[in-house]
Amino acid sequence: MSEMDGFLIQILLRGVLVGGMYALLSVGLTLIFGVLEIPHFAYGDVMMLAMYTCYWLQVFTGASLFLSIIIVFPLYLALGFILQKFVINKIMDKPELSKMLFMVGFSLFLQGLALFVWTADTRFVKSELQNIYVDIGGGKISLTYIVNFVVAMLFFAGFYLWLQKTFMGKAIRASAQNKDLALVTGINIHKIFLVSFGIATVMSAVGAVLFAPIYYVGPFVGLELTLKSFMIVVLGGLGSIEGALLGGLIIGVVEALSSYLLSSEVKDLSALIIFLLVLLFKPKGLLGKEVRE
C-alpha cells in the first residue's frame, strides 16, 4: 500500500467517524419532523447550550467528557419535556408560517441569550483522549474520534431499538405514520409529543457533547449545527431514522474527501451541493417518506 493510499484511507475513516457523530446530532430532528411536524430552527441552539454545559462542567468541576454525558442526559431530557409542555405545545395548532417564524425567533433568542451571558469568545471542550493517536494506514487518528464515534453509535443503536421494541417506541412510530388512526386506537398523542420532543432533545445534547471536542463552542455554533442537521435529515429522508444515519455518514465522508482533494474551505460547500441536488432530484430523500408541505 502506497503512502498516498494509506492517507486516503485515513481521510475516509475520519469522514465515517465524524459522520457517525453527525447521525446522532441529527436523529432527534428527524424524530421531531416525523412526529410533531414542526420546523425546529432552534434545534442547533439547544445543542449549543449542551456544549456550553459540558464546557462549564469541565471548567468548574473538572468533569470528564463522559461524566458530562451522565449529567447532561437527565438535564436535557427534563429541558426537552419543559420546552415541549410550556413552549412547543402552545404553537402546535398554529398555522405553518407562525410555527416557522416562532422557531426562528426562538433560535435568535437563544443565540442572543448566550451572547449576553457568555460573550462571543470561542471556547473549546477538552477530551482526555485528544493526545492519544492510533496509527491507521500510515497516518494517525486521534482516539477521541474513534471512542466518541463508538459511543455515538451505541446511543444511536439504543435509540433505534427503543423505537422498535418498546410500547412507547411503537406508539411513536404509529403516531408518525397516522395520527388520526393513533388517536382512534387510544394512543395519548399529547404524551407521544412530550416523550418524542424530550428524547429528541436529549439525543441532540449527547451528540453535541461528543462532537464538542472536535469543534468549538460559541453563541452562534447552533446555526451551523441546525443547517448541518437539516441537510442530513433531508438527504437521508425526513422522518427516517435509518436515513439520519445514512445522511450523516455521507455528509461526513463528502466533507472529508473535499477537504483532502480540494480545500478545507470548500467542505461545507460540497455538502451543500449534495443537499441541493437531493432536493432537486429526490425531494423525499434517500430513505424518506413523502415530504409534507
Side-chain angles (χ1 to χ4, degrees), residues 264-277:
S264 60
E265 283 77 20
V266 301
K267 68 173 189 177
D268 290 331
L269 181 62
S270 303
L272 192 58
I273 290 172
I274 299 289
F275 169 71
L276 293 174
L277 288 175

Side-chain angles (χ1 to χ4, degrees), residues 42-277:
Y43 185 77
D45 301 294
V46 176
M47 287 194 265
M48 173 266 291
L49 296 179
M51 289 171 131
Y52 270 115
T53 303
C54 180
Y55 172 79
W56 290 117
L57 278 172
Q58 286 192 341
V59 169
F60 289 118
T61 70
S64 69
L65 190 73
F66 299 105
L67 178 59
S68 298
I69 292 176
I70 296 174
I71 297 171
V72 160
F73 193 99
L75 193 64
Y76 279 77
L77 184 63
L79 177 64
F81 289 156
I82 291 169
L83 284 176
Q84 200 286 328
K85 188 171 181 60
F86 296 105
V87 180
I88 304 301
N89 201 36
K90 306 295 183 188
I91 64 167
M92 288 297 292
D93 296 326
K94 303 292 184 187
E96 295 301 317
L97 181 60
S98 298
K99 292 181 190 177
M100 188 179 300
L101 292 175
F102 179 87
M103 296 311 297
V104 170
F106 188 47
S107 169
L108 295 174
F109 165 76
L110 292 178
Q111 290 173 30
L113 183 64
L115 184 63
F116 174 73
V117 176
W118 297 307
T119 75
D121 292 346
T122 299
R123 295 175 169 92
F124 298 93
V125 169
K126 297 177 182 176
S127 166
E128 310 79 60
L129 308 173
Q130 64 187 11
N131 294 321
I132 304 174
Y133 292 89
V134 177
D135 287 324
I136 295 177
K140 293 183 177 180
I141 290 184
S142 169
L143 195 57
T144 298
Y145 282 78
I146 298 171
V147 172
N148 289 15
F149 167 81
V150 171
V151 175
M153 288 298 93
L154 287 175
F155 271 95
F156 194 98
F159 171 65
Y160 184 80
L161 289 174
W162 178 78
L163 274 181
Q164 301 296 322
K165 301 296 183 183
T166 66
F167 175 79
M168 179 57 71
K170 291 175 182 176
I172 288 174
R173 289 193 291 124
S175 302
Q177 292 172 2
N178 191 319
K179 290 182 180 56
D180 293 333
L181 188 58
L183 278 170
V184 171
T185 56
I187 292 175
N188 185 338
I189 199 71
H190 295 291
K191 186 176 181 181
I192 294 296
F193 288 162
L194 185 70
V195 173
S196 298
F197 199 87
I199 293 294
T201 301
V202 78
M203 286 295 106
S204 65
V206 171
V209 171
L210 291 171
F211 191 56
I214 63 171
Y215 214 55
Y216 71 95
V217 184
F220 305 110
V221 70
L223 177 61
E224 298 175 36
L225 295 177
T226 297
L227 290 174
K228 201 175 290 292
S229 297
F230 269 82
M231 284 195 291
I232 290 168
V233 299
V234 170
L235 174 62
L238 293 171
S240 170
I241 303 301
E242 299 88 345
L245 178 60
L246 180 61
L249 293 175
I250 290 174
I251 293 295
V253 170
V254 167
E255 287 184 353
L257 280 178
S258 58
S259 295
Y260 172 64
L261 298 173
L262 301 172
S263 163
S264 60
E265 283 77 20
V266 301
K267 68 173 189 177
D268 290 331
L269 181 62
S270 303
L272 192 58
I273 290 172
I274 299 289
F275 169 71
L276 293 174
L277 288 175

